[in-house]
């Protein structure tokens, strides 16, 4: 599965995107955020407050309860500030 | 649960929705050309445009840098524009968002809604901006006049509130 | 009793009101130039414009002829613009109205409101149009494609209602 | 006192403006409208429904109850249809 990061999430993690293999038990967006948070100090810094992270699966906004089944690209980013 | 701009509700008007013009680009927006294109023909009675500009924040700001999620950004704006064209009887709708480095005084975003009567154009343009601010994946970071990269601009609760109000209409 | 736009009430904001640009003229309105003039400087965050066009009424209309009360027309628009600048924190406000013969597809009226934030600009531009329609002394008559002078356009109750709603805010 | 007429009020009366001397007893806008209405068929046609006529004294909108005292220019016109 491809993960894409934007704005300060990208900066803190230090990557724009990466391919990951999800371990068993990581089934929802919420599971993914908590699993990522444990992968190192950079991830922990980006995901200090997972509840504020916005997530898109296959370029569609989703809630944190959304299952990851069928996800090819999962994007993590801060609340939007365009316009 | 998937979230859609459709959540804002539809008033179920019977007209064929206007096909939106949506672009994400780095160069300046030619607002005169965009406006002229929308007002052509004898059906348009009112055209409302909104242009959002990079402020200098009292001289502190050298530029804003706009990052976006390519692909998703265009699709989200298109969805919002289609939603507006479904809720109001628009004859034309345009939404253009710039990315990259933008100097104070330059435009960041331009939306325009043409309709037979003015009220629909005003409401649709305001709706478009409220949803664009909260749903289109763009992020601003500041570059300061002292040469440092300032912080990422924080999202505003007032923007969420502005978008939420359309759910209650 | 004398009636003033002030009847619409004031929110008593403390800022110095923007000095309005108001013109009544026969020639085309250069909307690009008017827009560029208002967005200059680094203080403006949002600019809302409204352009009202002459519709062709399904091909029936050859032109609209706009008559006005010289002197009073300019003063009434200026009053309405000052009222808007008093109610909302505008950095600039422009209102231009054409007179004489106007062909379908051409603009009749142009208003623009610049502010630090978008909501004020949207509301002020909408207010300006609602009051301009009901208080500025202009009258439209139709000229038809069959060569006859059609009738005078009748005023609309919906315009009065649109203006009245600002009294209740 | 100068009277000015616009749009179909002007057309029906057949004049854009005129100078008048008010007879005694014509003290308000309402008095003026009814006095004018009796001056001939053209005035009667313009003022068939005096209540819909809009009036400005010295280029300020006024109600029909407004006294004419101090009026240099009184304008009569239909409801506005600009914008």
């Amino acid at each position: 599965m491809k993960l894409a990061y934007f704005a300060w999430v990208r900066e803190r993690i230090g990557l724009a995107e990466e391919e990951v293999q999800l371990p068993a038990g990581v089934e929802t967006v919420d599971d993914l955020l908590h699993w990522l948070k444990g992968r190192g100090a950079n991830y922990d810094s980006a995901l200090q407050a997972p509840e504020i992270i916005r997530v898109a699966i296959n370029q569609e906004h989703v809630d944190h309860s959304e299952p990851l089944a069928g996800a090819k690209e999962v994007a993590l980013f801060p609340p939007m500030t365009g316009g | 649960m998937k979230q859609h701009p459709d959540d804002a509700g539809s008033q179920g008007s019977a007209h064929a929705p206007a096909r939106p013009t949506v672009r994400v680009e780095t160069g300046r927006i030619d607002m005169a050309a965009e406006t002229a294109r929308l007002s052509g023909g004898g059906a348009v009675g009112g055209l409302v445009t909104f242009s959002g500009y990079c402020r200098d924040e009292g001289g502190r700001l050298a530029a804003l840098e706009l990052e976006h999620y390519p692909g998703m950004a265009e699709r989200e704006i298109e969805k919002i524009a289609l939603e507006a064209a479904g809720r109001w009887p628009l004859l034309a709708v345009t939404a253009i968002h710039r990315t990259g480095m933008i100097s104070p005084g330059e435009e960041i975003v331009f939306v325009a809604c043409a309709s037979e009567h003015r009220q629909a154009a005003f409401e649709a343009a305001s709706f478009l901006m409220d949803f664009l601010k909260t749903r289109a994946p763009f992020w601003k970071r500041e570059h300061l006049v002292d040469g440092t990269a300032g912080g990422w601009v924080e999202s505003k609760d007032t923007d969420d509130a502005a978008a939420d109000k359309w759910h209650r209409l």
Side-chain angles (χ1 to χ4, degrees), chain A, chain B:
Chain A
M1 195 173 71
K2 177 178 165 185
L3 298 179
Y5 309 122
F6 294 96
W8 55 252
V9 173
R10 172 181 54 70
E11 283 197 328
R12 291 183 192 174
I13 291 178
L15 291 170
E17 54 181 66
E18 62 180 319
E19 288 287 335
V20 295
Q21 296 286 349
L22 297 187
V26 175
E27 290 172 1
T28 67
V29 166
D30 203 43
D31 296 339
L32 172 67
L33 292 173
H34 285 90
W35 172 67
L36 280 174
K37 196 172 182 329
R39 289 178 81 206
N42 53 336
Y43 291 94
D44 185 60
S45 158
L47 302 172
Q48 267 167 34
E51 68 280 5
I52 68 163
I53 301 295
R54 304 296 174 99
V55 180
I57 294 183
N58 303 342
Q59 304 197 350
E60 300 266 0
H61 292 291
V62 294
D63 289 340
H64 287 192
S65 58
E66 186 77 7
L68 296 168
K72 290 178 180 165
E73 178 172 299
V74 180
L76 276 56
F77 43 78
M80 285 76 85
T81 57
Chain B
M1 197 190 80
K2 290 274 198 298
Q3 299 168 332
H4 293 286
D6 299 336
D7 291 348
S10 170
Q11 296 174 351
S13 47
H15 67 94
R19 175 108 189 269
T21 297
V22 170
R23 297 201 308 273
V24 174
E25 55 195 31
T26 54
R28 298 294 300 260
I29 301 170
D30 184 343
M31 292 182 277
E34 297 299 334
T35 302
R37 202 164 46 76
L38 262 63
S39 57
V44 171
L47 173 70
V48 171
T49 73
F50 175 83
S51 314
Y53 294 90
C54 176
R55 292 190 303 264
D56 66 7
E57 306 297 354
R60 195 173 56 82
L61 202 71
L64 280 176
E65 183 178 2
L66 268 288
E67 177 171 338
H68 76 301
Y69 184 173
M72 182 175 172
E74 291 85 346
R75 286 175 52 183
E76 282 295 315
I77 299 176
E78 170 112 10
K79 273 193 219 172
I80 297 160
L82 283 170
E83 171 69 16
R87 286 184 79 161
W88 288 277
L90 302 181
L91 295 163
V93 51
T94 293
I96 303 171
H97 203 301
R98 290 178 66 196
T99 62
M101 297 293 273
I102 297 176
S103 300
E106 288 186 9
E107 70 289 348
I108 299 169
V109 63
F110 174 79
V111 310
C113 293
S115 190
E116 194 177 341
H117 299 290
R118 72 186 183 283
Q119 195 61 27
F122 270 114
E123 290 182 7
S126 177
F127 168 92
L128 216 58
M129 282 308 304
D130 286 344
F131 276 79
L132 200 147
K133 287 243 169 201
T134 52
R135 299 196 58 88
F138 291 85
W139 304 271
K140 291 188 183 101
R141 94 180 299 165
E142 296 184 334
H143 288 258
L144 306 184
V145 289
D146 64 14
T148 60
W152 293 91
V153 172
E154 284 199 41
S155 67
K156 287 185 289 185
D157 290 343
T158 52
D159 283 331
D160 288 329
D164 279 348
K165 76 171 184 281
W166 297 102
H167 293 261
R168 299 194 304 267
L169 292 184

